[in-house]
Each structure stands twice: as C-alpha cells, then as structure tokens.
Amino acid sequence: MPDVVVVNQPQRPQRNPGRLVCARILLILVSLSMLTLGGWVLAVGVLMKRLVDQESGTGQTYSGSFDVSVSGIAIALIVYGCITLATGLCGCLGACTRARGFITAFFVGLSISLLITVASGSYAIQNAKNRQTEWSALTARDWSAAADTDRALAQFVYSCCGYNQGDSLAYTGSALFSDQNGSNPCAAAASAASYPGCYAAGNTFWQSRINSAIYSLVGSLLGLLLAALIAGCTQRYFREADDYQPSGAPFFYFGGGGGSAASQAGGPSGGAGRARMQGYEPLPSGKQDDGLGR
C-alpha cells in the first residue's frame, strides 16, 4: 500500500481588501483633483491667449515690470494644464482598472509636473527678488526723470501715487490704462494723499510676490509628493492582490511504497502525477517529510 504524506503548503501573506479599496479611493480622489486643477489651468491659459490675440499684436503687457510676455505665460499654462489633465486621467483609469501601465503613466506625469513646478517656482522667486532689488535701488531723482508712461504704469500696478506719500512727484496726467475707468486717482491732491508712495508700495508688492511664490512652490511640492506616495502604495497593494492565491490547505501525495503500477510509474493517475499537479515532487521511497516540504 502506498505511503500517504500530508504536506502543508507554505503560507503567503493574506491581502487586506479594506486597505486595497481605501488606496483605490484615495488615488481616484487625487486624480480627480488633478483633473480639476488641469482643467482650470488650461481654461485660464486659453483665456489669456485669446485676450492677447485680441490686443494690438504686441503680446506684451506691463513690459516695464514683467520681462515675460503674457503670450508666453498663456502657452506655458496651456501645456501644464494638458499634462495635468493627462496625469489625472491616467490615475483614474489606473485606479479603476488596476492596470499597471496607467499607474506608470501617472508616475511619469507626476515627475514631469514636479520638474515644471520646481523650475517655474524657482524662476518666479528669483525674478521677484531681482525686481525687488531693482526697485529698492530707485531714488527720487530716478523717479522724477522717468517717463510719464513709466510713472503711470508704476502707480497703476502698485496702487500708489508719487515717490513718497504726499509728495508732488506723482503722475497727474490723464489715465493711460483702461482699467482705471478713464480717471487718474493721483490727479487730485486730496485723492493722491490717501495713496502710499510708490517706493514703499513697490517693495511691499514684490515682497508679497516672493512670499506667494514660496508658499505656492512648497504647497505644490507637498501635494505632488503626497500624490506620488498614494500612487506608490496603491501600486504595491495591486501587486499584492495580483500575487495573492489562497493557500495553506493541506494536500496528500502518495509515496512509492506500493500500490498500482500506474502509481509506481508516476503516471497521470498515480501519486507522482497528483503530487506534480500540486507543484511538489514526490518524496523518494523511505524518506520522511518534515512538514515543511523538504
């Protein structure tokens, strides 16, 4: 009669369905947030581009204060919006289908967004610092010698009048920008006195831009890193779920102590055949199993 040996298959880590569902939900929420952000950025970029195209054709706005054309900013926003939309779409598809290709594409999109965010944020911070340094070097003589257009532009951008508050160096001519509703608030002395001087207002303006750029850069980086962390955990849980198979149940195989000719020969209906179907080789005759499959 053949020897009967009971072998316990090695235990594999059991998956946690709740953890997997939670990871998928978080990835979907992050992806939907990126879709919303990408759509908003794309819409702003398209709107800016249309407004620029409707202007006189120069594509420049406030060239005395900004050295990047509005048209270039609009194109950059459109590109960044498209990348963010594609990244969010890949994240949603990856969470719903558990396809590793979409998760990989999501990681690639996050990497590109990270690089763009670091580059644009660093540029914005450095540009604002340079502008603040230039404005801090401005003297009252420089202000008086500036063209009327430059002084009017500074008063419009910084919401100020003159070099120092209450002085007589303000531009008091007609309004040069349509946003001023056809009137120059610095034209009347009583009205001009309620506005700060442009030297102090300009320094405050650029310092606020530096702080805003730093906060935006840090917040964006934290958001992208959190999204990458969630996507990494989700991909890991997907891999564990794909590799998981119920295991641990004992099975029998028959050694070569006797039995039918088919069993001795290891045929399809013999003990060796059944053992191989379970993924194990039969033990040599006379060897005892130690319960660990050795």
Side-chain angles (χ1 to χ4, degrees), residues 205-222:
F205 176 88
W206 289 114
Q207 184 60 50
S208 66
R209 291 300 181 275
I210 294 173
N211 296 337
S212 298
I214 293 175
Y215 297 150
S216 299
L217 177 60
V218 173
S220 300
L221 291 178
L222 291 177

Side-chain angles (χ1 to χ4, degrees), residues 7 14 44 90 105 107 118 120 123 162-163 165 193 206 225 233-234 258 271:
V7 178
Q14 301 295 310
V44 171
C90 289
F107 274 117
V118 171
S120 59
Y123 173 81
Y163 182 78
Q165 186 176 17
W206 289 114
L225 292 176
C233 293
T234 304

Side-chain angles (χ1 to χ4, degrees), residues 140 143-144 155 161-172 186 189 192-193 195-199:
W143 174 266
S144 301
Q155 292 179 166
C161 289
Y163 182 78
N164 290 315
Q165 186 176 17
D167 63 16
S168 60
L169 301 179
Y171 168 74
T172 58
C186 299
Y195 284 86
C198 290
Y199 179 77

Side-chain angles (χ1 to χ4, degrees), residues 41 73 75-84 87 108-124 216-217 220-221 224:
V41 172
I73 295 176
I75 293 175
L77 290 176
I78 291 173
V79 173
Y80 187 77
C82 291
I83 293 175
T84 307
T87 302
V108 173
L110 284 179
S111 300
I112 296 175
S113 299
L114 184 65
L115 293 176
I116 294 177
T117 300
V118 171
S120 59
S122 300
Y123 173 81
S216 299
L217 177 60
S220 300
L221 291 178
L224 290 173

Side-chain angles (χ1 to χ4, degrees), residues 5-112:
V5 181
V6 179
V7 178
N8 289 321
Q9 298 186 48
Q11 294 283 345
R12 291 185 180 181
Q14 301 295 310
R15 64 176 176 177
N16 189 334
R19 184 176 61 180
L20 179 61
V21 172
C22 182
R24 295 178 72 174
I25 292 175
L26 287 176
L27 182 57
I28 290 175
L29 292 177
V30 170
S31 301
L32 290 177
S33 300
M34 296 194 69
L35 284 173
T36 303
L37 175 63
W40 181 82
V41 172
L42 179 61
V44 171
V46 171
L47 180 61
M48 289 180 62
K49 191 68 171 64
R50 291 184 60 183
L51 291 176
V52 169
D53 293 340
Q54 292 174 1
E55 292 297 327
S56 60
T58 61
Q60 298 284 340
T61 302
Y62 310 148
S63 58
S65 298
F66 303 96
D67 54 10
V68 177
S69 67
V70 175
S71 179
I73 295 176
I75 293 175
L77 290 176
I78 291 173
V79 173
Y80 187 77
C82 291
I83 293 175
T84 307
L85 277 174
T87 302
L89 180 61
C90 289
C92 286
L93 293 176
C96 295
T97 64
R98 290 174 51 182
R100 296 183 183 179
F102 287 125
I103 303 296
T104 302
F106 183 75
F107 274 117
V108 173
L110 284 179
S111 300
I112 296 175

Side-chain angles (χ1 to χ4, degrees), residues 160 205 235:
C160 59
F205 176 88
Q235 188 176 40

